[in-house]
Amino acid sequence: DGYVIDFGDVKKVLRQICKRLNQRTLLPARSDVLTLQQLNELQLEVQCQGGVKFVLPAADCMLLPIVHSTAEELAEYIALEVAQQLGAQLRSRQCQWLEVSV
């Protein structure tokens, strides 16, 4: 039939991912220059390499499994989320790789 997956399915998944990230402070949980500490259920402390500390509302933050919040790492995170949510459909169509460009 000439297609790998219905683009409407891809759009739906991407909208869900973007909705989770929208209006949040995106923080790299695997950072090599930031220390993140949950102070309590309401507050998250971010300490920078130079010792500067910020306390943010935890509900406004999204900790991502990335090292740096670069466009490339965010694109990889989103691609992995798409692949995880649409994996069964992609495998059923014998999709062997997914490419993301920034």
Side-chain angles (χ1 to χ4, degrees), residues 32-82:
D32 54 357
V33 294
L34 298 176
T35 303
L36 308 174
Q37 181 181 359
Q38 187 85 36
L39 298 177
N40 53 52
E41 66 182 55
L42 300 176
Q43 297 177 316
L44 179 72
E45 180 182 85
V46 180
Q47 182 173 350
C48 301
Q49 197 170 25
V52 175
K53 294 181 182 181
F54 300 91
V55 176
L56 303 170
D60 291 349
C61 298
M62 175 65 78
L63 301 178
L64 300 176
I66 58 178
V67 178
H68 303 104
S69 54
T70 62
E72 292 82 7
E73 287 197 47
L74 290 170
E76 182 179 6
Y77 166 77
I78 292 170
L80 290 172
E81 285 287 305
V82 168

Side-chain angles (χ1 to χ4, degrees), residues 72-97:
E72 292 82 7
E73 287 197 47
L74 290 170
E76 182 179 6
Y77 166 77
I78 292 170
L80 290 172
E81 285 287 305
V82 168
Q84 182 180 14
Q85 293 184 43
L86 295 176
Q89 286 178 286
L90 293 169
R91 283 188 297 279
S92 74
R93 303 291 291 189
Q94 284 102 33
C95 181
Q96 296 178 5
W97 55 271

